[in-house]
Amino acid sequence: MPHILPLARRPDVIPILAGWLFEEWGDYHEHDSVDCRIAELTERLADERLPLTFAAFESDAPDAAVIGTAALTADDMDTRLDLTPWLASVLVTPTARGRGVGSALVRAVVVEAAAQGFERLYLFTEGQQALYARLGWGALEDCDYHGYHVTIMSLEPAAALRASGQAADVATRRGGGVDAR
């Protein structure tokens, strides 16, 4: 069962996450690098304000291996600054895929968005529309973004948590890590 923590609780994994994020999406932004990603993640160490990054770990052991990440950011598409906030940078290691890690990370971001009072949350994806639809997200529009065909999707965090019976998670989100259910 993955254990989800705000990145501020385990900043030691920043170099690992930065490498993964650059490898996965470095071609989306000109002048991107691992060093840029390290600086960006370091800026995200605040517990309460955007942007906020979460990391998934194999267990709640202090030295558990990191297996994924996701973020709550003010913006994720430089062409759609009118939409805010965003679920961004959802990434799970290949060996941890298919075990609910991605869903647990998405849930942590949705809980945080609801706790911060955001009425709507957005994401864009190249090929994971079915996964996000299963998690309650609806397609908003298809578009081209930096040469990639993507779908922008949205979700109402509070309504999604009520519908899934997880609204109580909002009140307890700061009590440490979250074990995926």
Side-chain angles (χ1 to χ4, degrees):
M1 177 179 314
H3 189 67
I4 312 296
L5 291 173
L7 185 58
R9 302 272 306 276
R10 285 285 308 270
D12 58 295
V13 301
I14 287 175
I16 296 167
L17 297 180
W20 293 349
L21 294 169
F22 176 73
E23 185 177 321
E24 187 71 20
W25 295 296
D27 57 347
Y28 271 92
H29 304 286
E30 196 173 327
H31 308 296
D32 199 359
S33 68
V34 172
D35 287 340
C36 288
R37 296 289 178 142
I38 288 172
E40 182 179 275
L41 290 170
T42 300
E43 290 174 7
R44 295 180 177 189
L45 292 180
D47 260 348
E48 298 271 346
R49 64 177 209 271
L50 299 185
L52 181 63
T53 297
F54 291 89
F57 297 89
E58 284 284 352
S59 71
D60 63 356
D63 60 348
V66 63
I67 55 174
T69 187
L72 177 61
T73 66
D75 56 75
D76 197 32
M77 292 181 80
D78 56 15
T79 57
R80 291 307 305 264
L81 298 176
D82 58 313
L83 304 178
T84 191
W86 292 77
L87 165 65
S89 304
V90 179
L91 185 61
V92 176
T93 61
T95 58
R97 291 180 185 156
R99 299 188 334 206
V101 177
S103 296
L105 283 160
V106 170
R107 179 176 161 269
V109 170
V110 170
V111 167
E112 183 63 33
Q116 290 199 25
F118 293 114
E119 293 180 16
R120 186 165 297 277
L121 187 57
Y122 301 92
L123 66 80
F124 77 90
T125 183
E126 277 184 77
Q128 296 297 321
Q129 294 87 340
L131 166 69
Y132 292 113
R134 280 194 307 276
L135 297 175
W137 295 75
L140 191 62
E141 69 180 67
D142 291 323
C143 62
D144 287 322
Y145 183 61
H146 294 281
Y148 296 91
H149 184 74
V150 301
T151 301
I152 299 174
M153 303 181 81
S154 69
L155 176 88
E156 294 179 12
L161 292 173
R162 281 192 303 275
S164 67
Q166 297 173 337
D169 293 349
V170 173
T172 61
R173 79 186 195 293
R174 292 283 173 220
V178 175
D179 286 315
R181 296 179 201 168

